Amino acid sequence: MRTFFGLAVSLLFLVLFLRQLDIGELLAQLAQAKPSWLLLALTALALDFFLRIWRWARLLSIYTPGLTIRRAAGPFLASFALNNVLPLRAGDLARAFAFNQHLQTDSDRVTASLLIERLLDLGALLVLLCLGLLWYPGDTGFDQLAYVGIGLVFAGMLLLLLAPRTWQRVLARLPAQDNPVMQFGHGVFDALAAVRGLGTWLKLCAMSLAAWLLEGLVFFCGARALTDSFDPLAPWFALALGSLSTLLPSSPGYVGTFDYFTAMGFSLTGTDAALASAMAVLVHLLLWLPVTAVGFLWLLRFWGGGLGQHIRQLRRGESQQ
């Protein structure tokens, strides 16, 4: 039901997006994109994901000392690739459960790291949106929503991340403590409690904000590849609205929802609707295609290596017999 609902939401926003789009004009605009700005966009994307992988490796190294960025990179990119093509956030499930042996950790700790990652990302996005609304003098209609949202997110982050033992005691009062879900919840709170120290949290927050600033450069370079006539603030609105829209139920790859709200972000600062739509499509391709390709290349190597090892074990068993 959730899958069908997500597809319905994506279809709705895709129809709304296509209503303001001329396919012929879109293709003509994309064909004229400047390669130098596309290369800069890809460079910013590579740095963005390097920071995100580094942040995740830093979180996991709290539980598994010695975990390297290189070891964390494959599962991280693979999870994004799977989210881009499969429903129900399959990539997040795979990162939590499928690569534990490779990462030398367990699902409780990976799930805790995912929770921290998501909350840090949400907080950074809302900060950028709020700063943009404070800077931009126009009335976008999102001002109060952004301010209230930031307050709620930060309050929730403080309650959840800085006092996990309190929530664990609340969980302990619930019935059916032998239930696997309850045991898993206790394991997640144990992992959250292991992240200590103001310095650690400040580093994680700084890395999150820097990663989103780099992703904003992807939006800026994508827009600049099509034209030099746009408000410099437009890509940051597009970043915030497009990325926050991925919280909505949608199809794999956020088709429709991301495009509609990203185009809205560009349009809010005065960009022509047709050009804003072309910017949204180009940015979506820049974010989707490279990460999906690299993630699946790693998965093929990972699965192939496991299959090869299994075949070698079978052959050794046959030779011994």
Side-chain angles (χ1 to χ4, degrees), residues 60-73:
L60 288 181
S61 67
I62 295 172
Y63 318 120
T64 309
L67 180 71
T68 62
I69 296 175
R70 182 176 180 180
R71 182 172 289 274

Side-chain angles (χ1 to χ4, degrees), residues 65 90-91 162 226 234 303:
L162 302 182
L226 297 179
W303 287 333

Side-chain angles (χ1 to χ4, degrees), residues 284-309:
H284 201 164
L285 287 172
L286 288 169
L287 294 174
W288 186 90
L289 188 58
V291 175
T292 304
V294 173
F296 272 103
L297 284 175
W298 184 86
L299 274 175
L300 288 174
R301 181 182 175 186
F302 178 75
W303 287 333
L307 181 60
Q309 184 179 6

Side-chain angles (χ1 to χ4, degrees), residues 303-318:
W303 287 333
L307 181 60
Q309 184 179 6
H310 181 64
I311 292 174
R312 286 191 295 270
Q313 289 174 348
L314 289 176
R315 287 177 177 173
R316 282 197 296 267
E318 291 174 356

Side-chain angles (χ1 to χ4, degrees), residues 11-27:
L11 182 60
L12 170 64
F13 283 106
L14 184 61
V15 169
L16 293 174
F17 178 71
L18 292 175
R19 286 179 59 187
Q20 57 190 20
L21 190 64
D22 184 302
I23 300 297
E25 184 179 355
L26 169 67
L27 294 177

Side-chain angles (χ1 to χ4, degrees), residues 257-298:
T257 51
F258 180 87
D259 305 283
Y260 178 81
F261 285 100
T262 299
M264 178 189 291
F266 281 115
S267 299
L268 283 174
T269 51
T271 305
D272 175 74
L275 183 57
S277 299
M279 290 174 175
V281 171
L282 180 57
V283 168
H284 201 164
L285 287 172
L286 288 169
L287 294 174
W288 186 90
L289 188 58
V291 175
T292 304
V294 173
F296 272 103
L297 284 175
W298 184 86

Side-chain angles (χ1 to χ4, degrees), residues 49 71 82-83 86 96 100 123 183 192-193 308:
F49 270 81
R71 182 172 289 274
L82 291 170
N83 276 341
L86 296 177
N100 292 336
Q183 294 176 356
L192 286 172

